[in-house]
Amino acid sequence: MTKSSIINDLKSMGLTGSETILIHSSMKAVGNVEGGADTVLDALMEFFADGLLLLPTHTWKTVNESNPVFDVSNSESCVGILTELFRKRPGVVRSLHPTHSIAAFGRNAESYIAGELSCNTPCTPGGCYDRLKDVDGKILLIGVTHARNTYIHSVEEVLNVPNRLSDKPMKLSVIDNSGNSHTVYMRKHYNASQPHISEDFVKLAQAYIDCGAARNVMFGDAPSVLCNARGIFNVTRHVLAPAPECFITEDVISSERWADFPGNEFSQE
């Protein structure tokens, strides 16, 4: 695969390059690309030059009570090679969220990621993740499932779903781009019954497709999913509002939960 073929894959999804889009990715799943991960980033940044390209640069795996410092310039991303390389590129800016930062490139990048120092949860309502629904944002899952779709956590936080966050916050330090240190208090994702709650997000995969909030696409060799953030929010709310614990308590979420949802309201065709 080449940069041109990757750009063609994006065009074949119906994307124009002017979108605000958050990308979760597995470079391994993409396959053999001439130039590797850098070529993939070249293609993404060229294609979305008139839009806003967002990649997660999370540090929840390394920033914690025993290692309480997040340095926005130097703390490595723990969610894949594309995200780590992306945050270091010229023109890319990174939010100051100590555990769930986002790197941004393109239209109004700095204003989009602003204000994350005031967050006290991984996906605080009004923060970078929650904003996606308000700007008609897209989410592209490249070679990964909804188990890696952090946006669903933000829906849970907006809905105030119980038993999703630790009771006590961590005291952390954030070092900004100027070298200044800021003290923040951050809760983390936690559920006593299911320590990896996001693994259950895949239970809604068919609901998202049936309701037009997501559709299956290809990116290189990677089976991928293109989502509409507002659609994901509304379908998730439709299912969780009457039964907030259904991710945990049910092996399969019945199709009856979304049978009366307006079909194709969020079609991305």
Side-chain angles (χ1 to χ4, degrees):
M1 287 166 280
T2 64
K3 184 175 76 170
S4 294
S5 68
I6 291 170
I7 289 175
N8 285 335
D9 286 342
L10 295 168
K11 291 179 179 177
S12 71
M13 298 176 196
L15 296 169
T16 66
S18 63
E19 295 85 359
T20 293
I21 189 165
L22 171 70
I23 296 179
H24 292 279
S25 59
S26 165
M27 182 60 207
K28 181 178 180 180
V30 174
N32 186 20
V33 179
E34 183 180 290
D38 279 312
T39 296
V40 173
L41 290 176
D42 289 343
L44 291 172
M45 294 175 76
E46 178 179 318
F47 185 76
F48 291 107
D50 294 328
L52 179 60
L53 177 62
L54 306 168
L55 269 68
T57 50
H58 298 174
T59 51
W60 47 261
K61 189 176 288 186
T62 54
V63 176
N64 47 47
E65 296 94 334
S66 59
N67 182 42
V69 178
F70 168 71
D71 185 329
V72 69
S73 299
N74 298 306
S75 293
E76 294 184 359
S77 170
C78 67
V79 285
I81 184 64
L82 288 174
T83 69
E84 175 61 12
L85 293 175
F86 180 66
R87 74 171 184 87
K88 299 176 181 179
R89 288 203 161 199
V92 174
V93 291
R94 189 184 193 184
S95 73
L96 294 178
H97 195 297
T99 60
H100 286 69
S101 62
I102 283 180
F105 173 79
R107 183 183 59 229
N108 300 321
E110 291 195 13
S111 61
Y112 188 89
I113 64 167
E116 293 290 274
L117 268 178
S118 63
C119 293
N120 57 13
T121 62
C123 303
T124 304
C128 283
Y129 278 100
D130 184 36
R131 291 172 200 161
L132 278 173
K133 71 182 190 313
D134 302 321
V135 297
D136 194 28
K138 307 291 186 186
I139 303 162
L140 179 59
L141 308 175
I142 298 177
V144 296
T145 68
H146 288 288
R148 300 295 175 264
N149 190 351
T150 305
Y151 180 73
I152 300 175
H153 278 302
S154 80
V155 181
E156 291 184 315
E157 291 200 31
V158 170
L159 297 177
N160 199 24
V161 174
N163 305 314
R164 291 296 188 270
L165 298 168
S166 59
D167 292 332
K168 295 182 179 180
M170 304 177 287
K171 182 180 179 180
L172 305 175
S173 296
V174 173
I175 310 298
D176 65 23
N177 289 295
S178 299
N180 299 314
S181 179
H182 308 265
T183 298
V184 298
Y185 293 87
M186 180 64 54
R187 297 166 74 187
K188 57 185 177 181
H189 287 138
Y190 175 76
N191 181 277
S193 301
Q194 166 56 296
H196 304 290
I197 194 75
S198 62
E199 300 298 326
D200 286 322
F201 291 166
V202 297
K203 294 178 180 179
L204 279 181
Q206 192 60 47
Y208 294 141
I209 291 174
D210 290 350
C211 297
R215 55 189 173 88
N216 296 324
V217 295
M218 291 296 296
F219 184 94
D221 289 341
S224 304
V225 185
L226 179 62
C227 312
N228 176 289
R230 171 61 68 175
I232 296 293
F233 179 88
N234 284 346
V235 175
T236 306
R237 178 177 59 184
H238 185 78
V239 173
L240 291 188
E245 295 283 25
C246 65
F247 278 144
I248 298 171
T249 58
E250 298 181 14
D251 293 331
V252 177
I253 296 177
S254 170
S255 61
E256 295 176 0
R257 291 283 176 97
W258 68 86
D260 59 344
F261 196 86
N264 294 323
E265 181 176 348
F266 304 100
S267 175
Q268 300 176 73
E269 295 296 330

